Amino acid sequence: MMKEGMTKKTNWTAMVVLILGLSAIVFPLYMTLVIAFKQPSEMTNSVSGILSLPKTWSLDNFREAMRVTDFWNSLKNSLLITISTVVLSIAVHSLMGYALGRNKSHSKFYSFVYLFIVSGMFVPFAILMMPLAKQTAEMGLANWFGVILLYVVFYMPMNILLYSGYLVNIPMALEEAAKVDGASTWRTYWKIIFPIMRPMHATVAVLTALAVWNDVMTPLVILAGSDQNTLPLAQLNFQTQFGTNYNLAFASYLLSLIPILIFYVICQKQILNGVVNGAVK
């Protein structure tokens, strides 16, 4: 307990950092909301004209943004690609991370494969862009299936790094006990290891979903010229040679933010619970 007469010191440095961090988040959100509800006639070159509240709060910009981007069709494509990528990433990358994580320490082959895959994190997409565009077109993969396949490959290095690192916290005694009971490696993985890695599943799901949902370059290169637009790709309609319609663009950004925000809120609880349970163990 704190003695009488003693006052709790305020950490002003931490408070200033928190205020600056909060401002860096709140201010862009405020700008997005204000501009999304404004009419183009209310936008002026002055700072006060941009920061001021709308004269009338209208949903006209949102309706027009949904029409221009073909919102429901684009949302369907984005959900299909994102959900499929997340499910495949968790199933495939966790299995690969388990195989490499358990064997790389005592096998040069597995260690080489692990380092080779993880090194893919350092390859910029710009180098792969043109070869991938040509290859997917020749193989008939210039569609949503090809985009999902590429995403599973692109995020493989990062996810395998996360899964193999998390396996360090899982004792080998669990697998040895299962082996004594007659369980095969395959059964041991799906019945014991896979459920234990739930916190990492949630982390991989959030990181992969955020990256896929907001990505523009891959759909732009692979799906260009088709009617299978994702939301970020459809939002390029607001940018023309002569300028950008910020009112419609910001309204569309808010609409596309809602699904991934709901997903993040749901998975956030799973991540927190998993971290707490992992700490207790």
Side-chain angles (χ1 to χ4, degrees), residues 113-130:
V113 172
Y114 171 78
L115 293 175
F116 179 78
I117 293 176
V118 172
S119 65
M121 297 174 60
F122 305 101
V123 180
F125 179 74
I127 297 177
L128 306 173
M129 184 167 56
M130 294 310 298

Side-chain angles (χ1 to χ4, degrees), residues 26-277:
V26 172
F27 182 72
L29 287 176
Y30 171 79
M31 289 283 294
T32 303
L33 284 169
V34 168
I35 295 176
F37 282 96
K38 279 186 176 181
Q39 297 302 315
S41 57
E42 299 179 59
M43 298 288 291
T44 62
N45 294 328
S46 63
V47 177
S48 59
I50 297 177
L51 298 180
S52 61
L53 295 174
K55 295 178 180 177
T56 56
W57 295 83
S58 173
L59 297 177
D60 293 342
N61 288 335
F62 293 89
R63 297 190 190 98
E64 183 63 15
M66 293 177 68
R67 185 191 67 81
V68 172
T69 59
D70 191 9
F71 179 77
W72 295 113
N73 183 50
S74 300
L75 177 64
K76 179 193 69 176
N77 293 332
S78 287
L79 287 174
L80 173 65
I81 292 174
T82 303
I83 293 174
S84 301
T85 302
V86 169
V87 172
L88 286 174
S89 295
I90 291 176
V92 176
H93 297 166
S94 62
L95 187 59
M96 294 179 65
Y98 170 70
L100 294 174
R102 285 301 195 220
N103 295 284
K104 66 178 181 177
S105 60
H106 56 269
S107 171
K108 292 183 178 179
F109 173 76
Y110 283 99
S111 178
F112 172 78
V113 172
Y114 171 78
L115 293 175
F116 179 78
I117 293 176
V118 172
S119 65
M121 297 174 60
F122 305 101
V123 180
F125 179 74
I127 297 177
L128 306 173
M129 184 167 56
M130 294 310 298
L132 284 175
K134 183 177 181 181
Q135 189 174 4
T136 52
E138 291 177 350
M139 297 177 64
L141 294 175
N143 47 41
W144 60 266
F145 178 76
V147 173
I148 294 172
L149 188 62
L150 289 177
Y151 279 141
V152 173
V153 175
F154 288 161
Y155 300 116
M156 182 188 301
M158 179 186 68
N159 292 342
I160 286 181
L161 179 68
L162 292 173
Y163 276 119
S164 60
Y166 188 80
L167 279 170
V168 177
N169 300 321
I170 302 178
M172 284 290 297
L174 294 176
E175 299 173 51
E176 293 171 356
K179 189 176 181 180
V180 170
D181 291 339
S184 62
T185 303
W186 185 259
R187 183 179 179 85
T188 300
Y189 171 75
W190 289 111
K191 294 294 184 180
I192 299 176
I193 304 300
F194 189 82
I196 293 177
M197 291 196 297
R198 185 177 298 176
M200 188 50 63
H201 296 329
T203 302
V204 167
V206 170
L207 294 177
T208 304
L210 286 173
V212 172
W213 187 266
N214 295 320
D215 184 42
V216 177
M217 290 304 301
T218 305
L220 180 62
V221 172
I222 307 301
L223 300 179
S226 67
D227 59 346
Q228 299 177 331
N229 286 343
T230 60
L231 276 175
L233 192 58
Q235 288 167 350
L236 294 179
N237 292 327
F238 302 121
Q239 300 179 8
T240 65
Q241 180 181 358
F242 305 101
T244 302
N245 191 329
Y246 291 104
N247 302 95
L248 297 185
F250 279 47
S252 181
Y253 298 155
L254 285 176
L255 289 172
S256 64
L257 175 66
I258 295 174
I260 198 67
L261 184 62
I262 295 173
F263 174 74
Y264 175 77
V265 170
I266 294 174
C267 287
Q268 185 184 35
K269 183 178 179 181
Q270 298 296 326
I271 293 175
L272 292 175
N273 289 338
V275 169
V276 171
N277 292 335

